[in-house]
Amino acid sequence: IRSFMSVLQPVNDILVDFNVPQAILDWGTIDGDMYGVPINVMQNNNLWYNISVVEDAGVQMPIESLDDFYAACESIKDAGYTPLAVGAGSGQDFWWGTLFEAIVSGLPGGPEALAKLYNGELKPSESEVLKDGLEVMAKLMDEGYINSDHAALTWDQAGQLLSTGEAAFFVMGDWTKGLFAAAGLGANVDYGYQSFPGAENAFVTHLDCFVLPDGVDDIVATKWLEFLTTAEAETAFCPIKGAIPARLDAPIEGIYDEISMEIMEKFRDSDVTKIQSQFGGAPEAWLSSFAAAFSEFMLNPEVNSDTLARFDSAYDEVFSE
């Protein structure tokens, strides 16, 4: 947010009686001012799965550990399916970062390491858990668990591999539910959900926000943002997007499916660690700098001094600005 402060107006006066968790207000506040109106909450470290595919491969869900995830991927591969769908083409190589943060969020000490990484407090080479996350990505690639055409697909095209029964798993935020709904798939009927293995108590997130550009003095714009703070607006937006409402008093019964209710309960659990994702917690330059580093790494997924130097270089690029 700080990089956009020069072109945005604070929206403090609009967020009156805005009944959301304090964390949401903290994330959007800089030097005492709030700069965006959040309309939803999204969880990013999700593992989606095609129910028919995992059943055909004899995989029991949920999967509780990385070792069990590897075993599931092997069974799915043996059954003739792609274990894990990834789409990182057409300039979308930043999705490797979403897979990485989902993996790390399930490792011991991972949530804390991610928060420090995105805050510029921890270089990749200085963290064993971040290096472990890279090792997991390398194994997934080396074992052939990821579709070979990942560089030719966008995120939604990769999601369609799950929709059509070609792939078993897909790691992506819960906006994916909108993609599945458009394909006619039903929650807990055709597709299922769990947090990435090991991440049951970690919620990697970012929010869709609407802002007020500097210089805009328009009653219509103000009234629009005021409307977006309401439970009515969230109820119209969130079920279609696949996300959950930010307001704690938004109606939920009969509006959200079982998966969204489960994600909502997780977000509102005070014992769950909340971490802003690469889209919310890191500076804007992160997506381009680290996307390039991940893209290069996945061409030759080996964790060594050269690899770590490349990620450290991306880190320095981001946090030296």
Side-chain angles (χ1 to χ4, degrees), residues 49 55 63 69 75 120 157 181 264:
Y49 59 92
E55 288 180 350
I63 299 170
F69 183 60
S75 296
Q157 290 172 325
M264 196 181 312

Side-chain angles (χ1 to χ4, degrees), residues 8-10 14 23 45 81 107 116 127-128 135 147-148 155-156 165 184 224 230 253 264 281 289-290:
L8 298 179
Q9 299 180 51
I14 295 173
N45 56 330
Y81 303 100
L107 299 175
K116 289 181 179 179
S127 169
E128 290 302 319
E135 293 282 7
N147 50 297
S148 60
W155 80 270
D156 52 312
W224 168 244
T230 67
E253 296 297 334
M264 196 181 312
S289 295
F290 271 80

Side-chain angles (χ1 to χ4, degrees), residues 251-266:
I252 56 177
E253 296 297 334
I255 297 172
Y256 297 92
D257 61 36
E258 293 176 352
I259 290 177
S260 288
M261 294 289 283
E262 183 177 344
I263 292 173
M264 196 181 312
E265 181 179 358
K266 181 181 178 184

Side-chain angles (χ1 to χ4, degrees), residues 100 104 107-110 113 122-135 303 308:
F100 175 74
V104 173
L107 299 175
L122 183 67
K123 282 192 172 186
S125 66
E126 298 171 344
S127 169
E128 290 302 319
V129 68
L130 296 179
K131 288 187 280 188
D132 288 345
L134 292 175
E135 293 282 7
V303 182
L308 295 174

Side-chain angles (χ1 to χ4, degrees), residues 239-254:
I240 297 173
K241 178 67 180 280
I244 62 173
R247 291 191 67 107
L248 294 170
D249 56 356
I252 56 177
E253 296 297 334

